[in-house]
Amino acid sequence: MKSLAKDTVVYGLSSIIGKFLNYLLVPLYTHVISAESGGYGIVTNLYAYTALVMVILTFGMETSFFRFANSEEEKSDTVFSTAMLFVSSLAIVFFVTVCLFINPLADVMGYAGHHEYVLIMSAIVSIDVIQAIPFCLLRFRKKALKFAMLKLLFIVVSIALNLLFFLVLGKDDVYYVFFINLICTFFITFFFITELTDIKWKVDMTVMRRMLSYSWPILVLGIAGILNQTFDKIIFPWAYTRTGLYTDAEAHVQLGIYGACVKVAMIMAMITQAFRYAYEPIVFAKSKEKDSKEYYAVAMKYFIIFTLFAFLCVEGYIDLLKNIIDEEYHSGLFVIPIVMVAEIMMGIYFNLSFWYKLIDKTIWGAWFSLAGCAVLIIVNIVFIPVYGYVACAWGGVAGYMTSMVLSYVVGQIKNPIKYDMKGIIVYVLMTSCIFSVMYVLPDYVDSVVSRLLVNTFLISLFAGHVIFWDLPIKKLPVIGRFFR
């Protein structure tokens, strides 16, 4: 648990600081790209495509790398070389294919007049895919600091170039958002020279077949999972306009508002991602130990506690956080708690997913994710034309809830883990009550300062409960004396 906490802090700080620095671009973009132009909707739409393609091209090899690199039968260098060759080949084939068919592809995606958007984004995702396995190697070798520094370096360079292009040079075209991303992504590649040169390169086709056999269900799981996150943003322009009541321009305006507000809610994604970076290598390494199930149960509870705490912090200080995005986009702020609930469920589902990964039954994950994805797709297609981006937010909740419940129920049958359900339910109920007060508070209290004070008090009550009942703070030197 100490190792998990330490690595989560390193990964978490880099992720949170990086996301915070990246947030500085959101007010910049929403200021220079007006909501009425629909430009931010284009950014949201194309990055959703990018996330989906990234999952397809990595082919589940990130998880497969940890699974086989920790095996006594395999050597980590061979596993790395094999995974790297496979993933890099896919990335190169993808980019060449896009270049050959750029005209019809851009037309189908709705960017007939901007083929360069699609071409640049395909280059970005190809480089990202090639970098994915070296980043896994850093995690495997416990080089959390270098991992974090590279992630932060990307953000710092990106911010500097964005300020240069949009503020100093006065650019206002979304093209430069994609162009800057390409430069930064390419730049980071050079920092993997050490890892790539000290590896004993050896590709083993037998290992590759075993890894592919293990990873293809994870690929299906990953596609379904990323569709849960991005399908609404991909399908929105089509679904919103299919009744003929709205134009493509109006669809991109609404998608831009939704995409900007989702950025505020992404603190849940930060915590989930930080936890995953630290948790995944440890889980596979600890799988042979006798107390592994107890460890997973405790880790699950702490994950839920801290995500609920983050949920309350975002909602409690929304009067401040909403200033991250331009006032033109504030009409969509009400979807933020809905999106955060979906993110919490996604994190819980991730924690529940290890039972089938550890027994090499990843096909279960594919079925669970496909079921959740099917629910999300149905909700979006049916309700977007009626309710707009509100349907996107609730579709995420419905999809992740389906996958989460299925994984828990089947997992308790196939590989039962005794989670502290009583304690978890108590925290969920506490969070629900506190959130309800925060939600109705603006109807009764006009002063922003007063609302912030009340919300701070409520968050402190939650934190106090955590410290008293579930954190080993009493065992700490000096400070622990005050809690004994």
Short mmCIF file of all heavy atoms in Angstrom, two decimals, residues 268-289:
data_model
loop_
_atom_site.label_atom_id
_atom_site.label_comp_id
_atom_site.label_asym_id
_atom_site.label_seq_id
_atom_site.Cartn_x
_atom_site.Cartn_y
_atom_site.Cartn_z
N MET A 268 -11.95 13.91 -12.20
CA MET A 268 -12.19 12.49 -11.93
C MET A 268 -11.30 11.63 -12.81
O MET A 268 -10.76 10.61 -12.37
CB MET A 268 -13.66 12.15 -12.17
CG MET A 268 -14.66 12.96 -11.38
SD MET A 268 -14.31 13.08 -9.61
CE MET A 268 -14.01 11.40 -9.18
N ALA A 269 -11.16 12.02 -14.06
CA ALA A 269 -10.30 11.28 -14.97
C ALA A 269 -8.85 11.33 -14.53
O ALA A 269 -8.10 10.36 -14.68
CB ALA A 269 -10.45 11.83 -16.39
N MET A 270 -8.43 12.47 -13.97
CA MET A 270 -7.06 12.61 -13.47
C MET A 270 -6.77 11.59 -12.38
O MET A 270 -5.75 10.89 -12.41
CB MET A 270 -6.84 14.01 -12.90
CG MET A 270 -6.76 15.12 -13.89
SD MET A 270 -6.35 16.62 -12.98
CE MET A 270 -7.78 17.61 -13.30
N ILE A 271 -7.67 11.51 -11.42
CA ILE A 271 -7.47 10.62 -10.28
C ILE A 271 -7.51 9.17 -10.74
O ILE A 271 -6.67 8.35 -10.34
CB ILE A 271 -8.53 10.88 -9.20
CG1 ILE A 271 -8.31 12.27 -8.59
CG2 ILE A 271 -8.49 9.81 -8.12
CD1 ILE A 271 -9.35 12.67 -7.59
N THR A 272 -8.44 8.84 -11.61
CA THR A 272 -8.55 7.48 -12.12
C THR A 272 -7.29 7.09 -12.88
O THR A 272 -6.75 5.99 -12.71
CB THR A 272 -9.78 7.36 -13.05
OG1 THR A 272 -10.95 7.73 -12.33
CG2 THR A 272 -9.93 5.94 -13.56
N GLN A 273 -6.80 7.99 -13.70
CA GLN A 273 -5.61 7.70 -14.50
C GLN A 273 -4.38 7.57 -13.62
O GLN A 273 -3.56 6.65 -13.80
CB GLN A 273 -5.40 8.81 -15.53
CG GLN A 273 -4.26 8.53 -16.51
CD GLN A 273 -4.07 9.66 -17.50
OE1 GLN A 273 -3.81 10.80 -17.11
NE2 GLN A 273 -4.22 9.35 -18.77
N ALA A 274 -4.23 8.46 -12.65
CA ALA A 274 -3.07 8.40 -11.75
C ALA A 274 -3.07 7.08 -10.98
O ALA A 274 -2.04 6.42 -10.83
CB ALA A 274 -3.10 9.58 -10.78
N PHE A 275 -4.24 6.69 -10.48
CA PHE A 275 -4.38 5.45 -9.74
C PHE A 275 -4.04 4.27 -10.64
O PHE A 275 -3.35 3.33 -10.23
CB PHE A 275 -5.81 5.33 -9.22
CG PHE A 275 -6.01 4.20 -8.25
CD1 PHE A 275 -5.75 4.37 -6.90
CD2 PHE A 275 -6.46 2.96 -8.68
CE1 PHE A 275 -5.94 3.34 -5.99
CE2 PHE A 275 -6.65 1.92 -7.79
CZ PHE A 275 -6.39 2.11 -6.44
N ARG A 276 -4.50 4.30 -11.88
CA ARG A 276 -4.25 3.20 -12.80
C ARG A 276 -2.77 3.05 -13.12
O ARG A 276 -2.24 1.94 -13.14
CB ARG A 276 -5.03 3.41 -14.10
CG ARG A 276 -4.74 2.34 -15.15
CD ARG A 276 -5.55 2.54 -16.41
NE ARG A 276 -5.17 1.56 -17.40
CZ ARG A 276 -5.75 1.42 -18.59
NH1 ARG A 276 -6.72 2.22 -18.93
NH2 ARG A 276 -5.34 0.50 -19.44
N TYR A 277 -2.09 4.15 -13.35
CA TYR A 277 -0.66 4.10 -13.67
C TYR A 277 0.12 3.40 -12.56
O TYR A 277 1.04 2.62 -12.82
CB TYR A 277 -0.11 5.51 -13.86
CG TYR A 277 -0.45 6.14 -15.19
CD1 TYR A 277 -0.54 7.53 -15.32
CD2 TYR A 277 -0.66 5.37 -16.32
CE1 TYR A 277 -0.84 8.12 -16.54
CE2 TYR A 277 -0.97 5.95 -17.54
CZ TYR A 277 -1.06 7.33 -17.64
OH TYR A 277 -1.36 7.90 -18.84
N ALA A 278 -0.24 3.69 -11.31
CA ALA A 278 0.48 3.10 -10.18
C ALA A 278 -0.03 1.69 -9.87
O ALA A 278 0.75 0.81 -9.49
CB ALA A 278 0.32 3.99 -8.95
N TYR A 279 -1.34 1.46 -10.03
CA TYR A 279 -1.99 0.24 -9.56
C TYR A 279 -1.72 -0.95 -10.46
O TYR A 279 -1.48 -2.06 -9.99
CB TYR A 279 -3.49 0.52 -9.47
CG TYR A 279 -4.31 -0.51 -8.75
CD1 TYR A 279 -3.85 -1.11 -7.57
CD2 TYR A 279 -5.57 -0.88 -9.21
CE1 TYR A 279 -4.62 -2.03 -6.90
CE2 TYR A 279 -6.35 -1.80 -8.55
CZ TYR A 279 -5.87 -2.38 -7.38
OH TYR A 279 -6.63 -3.29 -6.72
N GLU A 280 -1.77 -0.73 -11.78
CA GLU A 280 -1.70 -1.85 -12.73
C GLU A 280 -0.41 -2.66 -12.59
O GLU A 280 -0.46 -3.89 -12.49
CB GLU A 280 -1.88 -1.33 -14.16
CG GLU A 280 -2.18 -2.43 -15.16
CD GLU A 280 -2.63 -1.87 -16.49
OE1 GLU A 280 -2.08 -0.84 -16.94
OE2 GLU A 280 -3.54 -2.47 -17.09
N PRO A 281 0.78 -2.04 -12.57
CA PRO A 281 2.00 -2.85 -12.41
C PRO A 281 2.04 -3.61 -11.09
O PRO A 281 2.51 -4.74 -11.02
CB PRO A 281 3.13 -1.82 -12.49
CG PRO A 281 2.53 -0.63 -13.17
CD PRO A 281 1.10 -0.62 -12.74
N ILE A 282 1.54 -2.97 -10.01
CA ILE A 282 1.58 -3.59 -8.68
C ILE A 282 0.65 -4.80 -8.61
O ILE A 282 0.97 -5.82 -8.02
CB ILE A 282 1.21 -2.56 -7.59
CG1 ILE A 282 2.30 -1.50 -7.50
CG2 ILE A 282 1.02 -3.24 -6.24
CD1 ILE A 282 1.98 -0.38 -6.53
N VAL A 283 -0.53 -4.69 -9.25
CA VAL A 283 -1.49 -5.78 -9.20
C VAL A 283 -0.90 -7.06 -9.78
O VAL A 283 -0.98 -8.14 -9.18
CB VAL A 283 -2.78 -5.41 -9.97
CG1 VAL A 283 -3.63 -6.64 -10.23
CG2 VAL A 283 -3.58 -4.40 -9.17
N PHE A 284 -0.28 -6.96 -10.95
CA PHE A 284 0.28 -8.15 -11.57
C PHE A 284 1.47 -8.69 -10.78
O PHE A 284 1.68 -9.90 -10.69
CB PHE A 284 0.69 -7.84 -13.01
CG PHE A 284 -0.48 -7.70 -13.95
CD1 PHE A 284 -0.80 -6.46 -14.49
CD2 PHE A 284 -1.27 -8.78 -14.26
CE1 PHE A 284 -1.88 -6.32 -15.34
CE2 PHE A 284 -2.35 -8.65 -15.11
CZ PHE A 284 -2.66 -7.43 -15.66
N ALA A 285 2.26 -7.80 -10.21
CA ALA A 285 3.41 -8.23 -9.42
C ALA A 285 2.97 -8.91 -8.12
O ALA A 285 3.64 -9.81 -7.62
CB ALA A 285 4.31 -7.04 -9.11
N LYS A 286 1.83 -8.50 -7.56
CA LYS A 286 1.37 -9.00 -6.27
C LYS A 286 0.42 -10.19 -6.40
O LYS A 286 0.01 -10.78 -5.40
CB LYS A 286 0.66 -7.86 -5.52
CG LYS A 286 0.45 -8.12 -4.03
CD LYS A 286 -0.12 -6.92 -3.34
CE LYS A 286 -0.37 -7.21 -1.86
NZ LYS A 286 0.84 -7.49 -1.11
N SER A 287 0.08 -10.56 -7.62
CA SER A 287 -0.97 -11.56 -7.84
C SER A 287 -0.67 -12.92 -7.21
O SER A 287 -1.59 -13.67 -6.90
CB SER A 287 -1.20 -11.74 -9.34
OG SER A 287 -0.02 -12.18 -9.99
N LYS A 288 0.61 -13.25 -7.02
CA LYS A 288 0.97 -14.57 -6.47
C LYS A 288 0.99 -14.58 -4.94
O LYS A 288 1.16 -15.63 -4.34
CB LYS A 288 2.34 -15.00 -7.01
CG LYS A 288 2.36 -15.22 -8.53
CD LYS A 288 3.74 -15.68 -8.98
CE LYS A 288 3.78 -15.95 -10.48
NZ LYS A 288 3.63 -14.72 -11.26
N GLU A 289 0.84 -13.43 -4.29
CA GLU A 289 0.92 -13.36 -2.84
C GLU A 289 -0.42 -13.74 -2.20
O GLU A 289 -1.49 -13.53 -2.78
CB GLU A 289 1.35 -11.96 -2.40
CG GLU A 289 2.75 -11.60 -2.92
CD GLU A 289 3.21 -10.23 -2.44
OE1 GLU A 289 2.64 -9.74 -1.45
OE2 GLU A 289 4.13 -9.68 -3.05
#
